[in-house]
Each structure stands twice: as C-alpha cells, then as structure tokens.
Amino acid sequence: MKKISVYIILVIILIIFISRSDYDFKVILNASAQDLTFLGAVILLSYFSTFLSIAIQLRLLDVKEERKNICMLSLATNLLNYLPAKGGMISFGTFLKVKKKVPVNKFVFSTMLIYILVTIFTLLLSLFFIFDERMIRLYVKINLSYILMLFALLLIALIISINLARKKKDNALSKYYLLFLSNKDMIFRNKLNMFYLFVLIFTGIVLFSMRMYFAFRIAGSEITLYDSLLIGVIANLSFFFSFTPGGLGVKEGFVGGISFILFGNAGIGVVASLADRGVNLILTLITGTIAVRHLDRKYFSNNKENE
C-alpha cells in the first residue's frame, strides 16, 4: 500500500500543477516529429551511458560479464528503477549477490562511491556558470560558511566513528563497519576506473542537456545550447536526491526551479521535463521489458549459473 501511495501523491501533485498552471498544453500536440525523433535518439544514447556505468561498477567489483549481459542489466535497471525504493538498484545488488557472489557491503560501497562522485563533479562543474548574472542571484543565497561547516562536521564524525570502531573491534557492528571501509581499496586499485567515471559523468550531463534542448522545443520554448547545458548541470544534482520511483517529481522540480531562475517561468521547465519523461518512459518500457525477459531466461527460468 505504501508503494502505491507514492504514485498517488505524485499524480495528485501533477494534477494540481496542471489545474493551476496557465500554460497552454496544446503546444505539445503541435510538437514536430523531428524534435520528438531527436529527443528519442538522444535518450537512447543516454542508455549507452547507463551501460558504461554498470560496466565500470562491475570493474570496481572485479566482476567479469559479457557485454550483451551488461547491456541487458543496464536496460533492466532503467525499468526497475521506476519501482518504489530504487527497485532497479536493489535488483542489481541482489543479482550480484546471488549470481556473482558479490558481498552486499562491496556493492553498497561502490554505489555510494558513484553517487558521491556524481555530486562532487556536478558541483564543481556548476562553478563554470558562477559569472552568469542569472545564476549569481542563486549563488548569493547560498551560505558557503554553513556548507563548509556541515562538511567539517561530517568529516569529524567520520574520523570519530572510525576510531571508535578500531577501539571496539570485537563488536559485531564495528567489524562490519571496518569491513565496509576496507572497500576503499577499489578506489586506488585501478585509478583509470575513477577517470572513466568522471568522463562518464560529464558525458551523461551533456546527453541530458541535449535532451532538455529538444524537450524545451517540444514544450514550445527555444533555448540556447548554453542554457540547456546549464539546466543539465544543475538538474543533475537531483541524481543524489532521486529517492522516488524513477526520480519522479524530483527532476521535474529541479528543472522547473532552474526554468524559473532563467526564464521566470517554472511551468515551461516542468512541462519540458514531463515531455522528456514521457518519451523516456515509453522507450524504457520497451527496452526494459525485453531486457528483463532475456535475463530471466538466462539466469532464472532455466536455473543457469553464469559466472
């Protein structure tokens, strides 16, 4: 029941937005086939980015897998992430645990590492727009001292927790905590993996920016490539907060907020994001269903073990 309530709340919010918005939704019906085709093509390219992300995570975990299976895993993850509680991520972790004998702590560590790197890289990339007059209005509202204080407190808490765990090694919780932290070796074992991740993160941002470029055109608003990149960078921060199914509502909220800052109209951003979501959902359902069936036949239905 809790899972269904998440979707109900998101639908209610969407209905409220549509009812109170003065946006002419008929504009979407007049969207050109060319823009829709280009948007679909860029979304499919972004799936390749997901494929590389899964491939690099498997490298971090020392798991060898065929490229076709990695492709299917990435497509299935895209689909299952629309389930509540990050279904795709949990399913992927379960698959690694059951079929590849990867300890849960290693999978969690590698996933957290990717999340943290995405956030750090995106924050650094956002500094590229620090001299943009429109973004300055946002930056001046950010209290840098509070942010630095927060990071300092988190660092102190981490150091204290590690020292306490080392002093109480006989404690079961301390043992697991130290085991979890020992996974840091995967960061330094192959530094090329970190380089590949940063390149992949940048590529993902560029692809999402291109999606926004065509999505805004579909929503009836022409934007520059510069503005689409700005939207792509800031909206990518929603990656860290995407705890709703498929990030529903979170990314739309981010894009709507940026649209308000840039153009004084949040509605256009939300509609553009919904247009992107609609095309993406259709392609995800098609490719994800095929991938899930393939993985089911290969690993589960026939009870095959593929190491």
Side-chain angles (χ1 to χ4, degrees):
M1 186 63 186
K2 290 182 179 179
K3 296 179 180 180
I4 297 175
S5 64
V6 175
Y7 291 104
I8 294 174
I9 292 171
L10 292 171
V11 170
I12 291 174
I13 293 174
L14 179 59
I15 292 173
I16 293 173
F17 164 75
I18 293 174
S19 63
R20 294 188 176 183
S21 175
D22 57 356
Y23 179 81
D24 183 10
F25 287 89
K26 292 180 181 178
V27 171
I28 296 180
L29 299 177
N30 297 324
S32 70
Q34 185 179 34
D35 286 337
L36 286 169
T37 302
F38 280 134
L39 176 59
V42 178
I43 288 174
L44 288 175
L45 279 175
S46 69
Y47 291 173
F48 182 66
S49 179
T50 306
F51 162 80
L52 293 177
S53 177
I54 296 290
I56 293 174
Q57 188 167 8
L58 292 178
R59 282 170 60 98
L60 289 171
L61 297 169
D62 290 325
V63 174
K64 294 182 179 180
E65 187 57 90
E66 297 176 5
R67 290 181 181 178
K68 180 180 179 180
N69 293 334
I70 296 175
C71 177
M72 293 301 168
L73 282 169
S74 63
L75 294 175
T77 300
N78 280 340
L79 175 62
L80 295 175
N81 269 336
Y82 274 95
L83 296 174
K86 280 291 186 179
M89 183 177 67
I90 293 174
S91 299
F92 181 48
T94 304
F95 167 81
L96 291 175
K97 171 67 176 176
V98 175
K99 295 298 181 181
K100 301 299 178 180
K101 311 304 179 187
V102 175
V104 174
N105 69 85
K106 285 184 176 292
F107 170 71
V108 173
F109 186 90
S110 64
T111 302
M112 287 182 62
L113 175 64
I114 293 173
Y115 267 68
I116 292 171
L117 289 178
V118 168
T119 304
I120 292 174
F121 185 82
T122 305
L123 285 171
L124 292 175
L125 196 58
S126 69
L127 296 177
F128 177 77
F129 305 101
I130 198 167
F131 298 110
D132 189 300
E133 292 182 2
R134 299 165 299 178
M135 292 303 295
I136 288 175
R137 294 197 294 271
L138 174 63
Y139 289 130
V140 295
K141 295 179 181 179
I142 299 174
N143 194 317
L144 186 59
S145 60
Y146 285 158
I147 295 176
L148 293 175
M149 190 182 300
L150 176 62
F151 278 110
L153 289 173
L154 290 174
L155 181 60
I156 292 171
L158 178 62
I159 294 172
I160 292 174
S161 64
I162 293 174
N163 288 331
L164 287 174
R166 286 173 176 171
K167 289 179 181 179
K168 299 181 178 181
K169 291 183 179 180
D170 295 332
N171 183 280
L173 185 61
S174 296
K175 287 180 180 179
Y176 191 83
Y177 183 55
L178 292 173
L179 177 64
F180 177 77
L181 292 177
S182 67
N183 291 315
K184 66 180 181 299
D185 292 341
M186 71 174 64
I187 301 175
F188 307 103
R189 189 165 55 242
N190 189 341
K191 294 185 175 68
L192 272 178
N193 287 335
M194 296 299 103
F195 172 75
Y196 292 148
L197 272 175
F198 281 120
V199 172
L200 179 61
I201 294 167
F202 179 73
T203 303
I205 291 173
V206 171
L207 288 172
F208 183 74
S209 299
M210 290 303 300
R211 285 166 60 174
M212 287 296 97
Y213 176 78
F214 292 111
F216 269 82
R217 286 173 60 94
I218 292 171
S221 178
E222 293 277 350
I223 62 172
T224 64
L225 290 174
Y226 170 84
D227 284 340
S228 66
L229 179 60
L230 194 158
I231 293 170
V233 170
I234 305 302
N236 200 56
L237 290 173
S238 67
F239 175 84
F240 194 79
F241 302 99
S242 297
F243 300 114
T244 59
L248 286 169
V250 179
K251 185 151 285 184
E252 284 79 5
F254 265 75
V255 176
I258 304 164
S259 178
F260 179 77
I261 293 172
L262 298 180
F263 316 117
N265 189 332
I268 294 176
V270 173
V271 172
S273 187
L274 288 173
D276 173 81
R277 175 79 66 182
V279 177
N280 184 28
L281 184 57
I282 293 171
L283 294 175
T284 297
L285 284 171
I286 296 171
T287 58
T289 301
I290 295 171
V292 169
R293 287 180 176 177
H294 169 82
L295 294 171
D296 179 61
R297 287 195 303 269
K298 183 173 180 62
Y299 290 104
F300 300 101
S301 295
N302 297 324
N303 197 27
K304 290 182 179 180
E305 289 289 340
N306 229 344
E307 297 299 328

